[in-house]
Amino acid sequence: MRSLWTAATGMKAQQFNIDTISNNLANVNTTSYKVQRAEFKDLFYANIKRANVNDEGGRPVNLEVGHGVMPVATKRDFRTGSLMPTENTFDFALNGEGFFSIMMPNEDIRYTRDGGFKLSIDGDEATLVTSDGYFVLSEDEDLITFDSGLKDITVDELGYIYGLDEDDENVELGRLMLVNFMNPEGLQSEGQNLYRATGASGEETLLEAEEMNTKVVQGYLEVSNVQVVDEMVKLITAQRAYEINSKTISTADEMMQMANNLKR
């Protein structure tokens, strides 16, 4: 019976939906995590009779039956999450759109909104890195390296980094490479709070200091934008949908059993 396979597609779709919601809830405390939402579309239809209106009358509507549902996309919500104060000098949050640029060990560039940076010390030099040791890039695509003797490191709202030297003179250390994409939903998630540019996302565009609406906030981290209550409501809805699809299979099975018993 067609209903068995149709209900099965509904159960598979809701399983995918629950997987997505579970990932959102698992990352509720992940820095800068962006909530995902599963999207679905109906499968093809069997047209038993087509609409056919003519001068002599005919059928004004189709007689058709669908074959279920399938997941088609996971859309990521890039709205800015709340900013949490940390009082850590090298914690940066982006208040607005955009991404920090990171250099991987193979020199490929990745993007992140996780500004929980650290210092990697090598002799007298300090380099700004991520928690995994990947290099944070300046707008010139160079590493952000400075004398480890500098003190009072500060970052202004435009992403320029400064430090005081031994003569208490303010030294500019460079500007963070802040970029955005025409279609951020097209970025590929790679885990570790990193994204990779794809053909769907388009090439990165540098956020120029003169035109930038985004502000860099030092001493803060952007928290996840997952709303636990919303996810719980989605979870209950998905569970009910999964349950009703399983009951559809049970009902179809009982109907087949009744049909088989008619010949006895």
Short mmCIF file of all heavy atoms in Angstrom, two decimals, residues 25 42 47 52 58 117 121 145 226-227 240:
data_model
loop_
_atom_site.label_atom_id
_atom_site.label_comp_id
_atom_site.label_asym_id
_atom_site.label_seq_id
_atom_site.Cartn_x
_atom_site.Cartn_y
_atom_site.Cartn_z
N LEU A 25 20.26 22.04 20.54
CA LEU A 25 20.24 22.00 22.00
C LEU A 25 21.60 21.60 22.56
O LEU A 25 22.02 22.10 23.61
CB LEU A 25 19.16 21.02 22.47
CG LEU A 25 17.72 21.48 22.25
CD1 LEU A 25 16.74 20.36 22.53
CD2 LEU A 25 17.40 22.68 23.13
N ASP A 42 7.43 18.56 -0.29
CA ASP A 42 6.65 17.37 -0.57
C ASP A 42 7.22 16.65 -1.79
O ASP A 42 7.82 17.26 -2.69
CB ASP A 42 5.17 17.70 -0.78
CG ASP A 42 4.95 18.81 -1.78
OD1 ASP A 42 5.95 19.41 -2.21
OD2 ASP A 42 3.79 19.07 -2.14
N ASN A 47 -0.72 11.52 -10.54
CA ASN A 47 -1.94 12.13 -11.09
C ASN A 47 -2.84 11.02 -11.64
O ASN A 47 -2.51 10.38 -12.64
CB ASN A 47 -1.59 13.12 -12.19
CG ASN A 47 -1.02 14.40 -11.62
OD1 ASN A 47 -1.73 15.15 -10.95
ND2 ASN A 47 0.27 14.63 -11.85
N ASN A 52 -9.27 19.15 -16.55
CA ASN A 52 -9.45 19.31 -18.00
C ASN A 52 -10.74 20.07 -18.27
O ASN A 52 -11.80 19.50 -18.50
CB ASN A 52 -9.48 17.93 -18.67
CG ASN A 52 -9.58 18.04 -20.18
OD1 ASN A 52 -9.23 19.08 -20.75
ND2 ASN A 52 -10.08 17.00 -20.81
N GLY A 58 -16.04 19.22 -18.03
CA GLY A 58 -14.79 18.57 -17.66
C GLY A 58 -14.52 18.69 -16.18
O GLY A 58 -15.35 19.15 -15.41
N PHE A 117 40.11 34.32 21.44
CA PHE A 117 41.48 34.12 20.96
C PHE A 117 42.45 33.98 22.12
O PHE A 117 42.18 34.35 23.26
CB PHE A 117 41.89 35.28 20.05
CG PHE A 117 41.00 35.40 18.83
CD1 PHE A 117 40.59 36.65 18.36
CD2 PHE A 117 40.57 34.27 18.15
CE1 PHE A 117 39.78 36.76 17.24
CE2 PHE A 117 39.75 34.37 17.03
CZ PHE A 117 39.36 35.63 16.59
N ILE A 121 53.12 32.11 22.35
CA ILE A 121 54.39 32.78 22.63
C ILE A 121 55.54 31.98 22.03
O ILE A 121 55.63 30.77 22.21
CB ILE A 121 54.61 32.94 24.15
CG1 ILE A 121 53.41 33.66 24.79
CG2 ILE A 121 55.90 33.70 24.42
CD1 ILE A 121 53.20 35.07 24.31
N THR A 145 51.30 39.41 14.81
CA THR A 145 52.43 39.10 15.68
C THR A 145 52.98 40.39 16.26
O THR A 145 53.08 41.40 15.55
CB THR A 145 53.52 38.37 14.88
OG1 THR A 145 52.96 37.17 14.32
CG2 THR A 145 54.69 37.97 15.76
N VAL A 226 20.71 30.05 20.23
CA VAL A 226 19.68 29.02 20.41
C VAL A 226 18.73 29.45 21.53
O VAL A 226 19.19 29.83 22.61
CB VAL A 226 20.32 27.66 20.77
CG1 VAL A 226 19.24 26.63 21.10
CG2 VAL A 226 21.20 27.17 19.65
N GLN A 227 17.43 29.41 21.25
CA GLN A 227 16.41 29.67 22.27
C GLN A 227 15.86 28.31 22.73
O GLN A 227 15.17 27.63 21.97
CB GLN A 227 15.29 30.53 21.70
CG GLN A 227 15.74 31.91 21.25
CD GLN A 227 16.25 32.77 22.40
OE1 GLN A 227 15.71 32.71 23.51
NE2 GLN A 227 17.29 33.55 22.14
N ARG A 240 5.40 14.51 18.03
CA ARG A 240 3.99 14.21 17.72
C ARG A 240 3.82 13.84 16.25
O ARG A 240 3.05 12.93 15.90
CB ARG A 240 3.11 15.42 18.06
CG ARG A 240 3.02 15.72 19.55
CD ARG A 240 2.50 14.54 20.32
NE ARG A 240 2.36 14.82 21.74
CZ ARG A 240 2.18 13.89 22.66
NH1 ARG A 240 2.17 12.61 22.31
NH2 ARG A 240 2.03 14.22 23.93
#
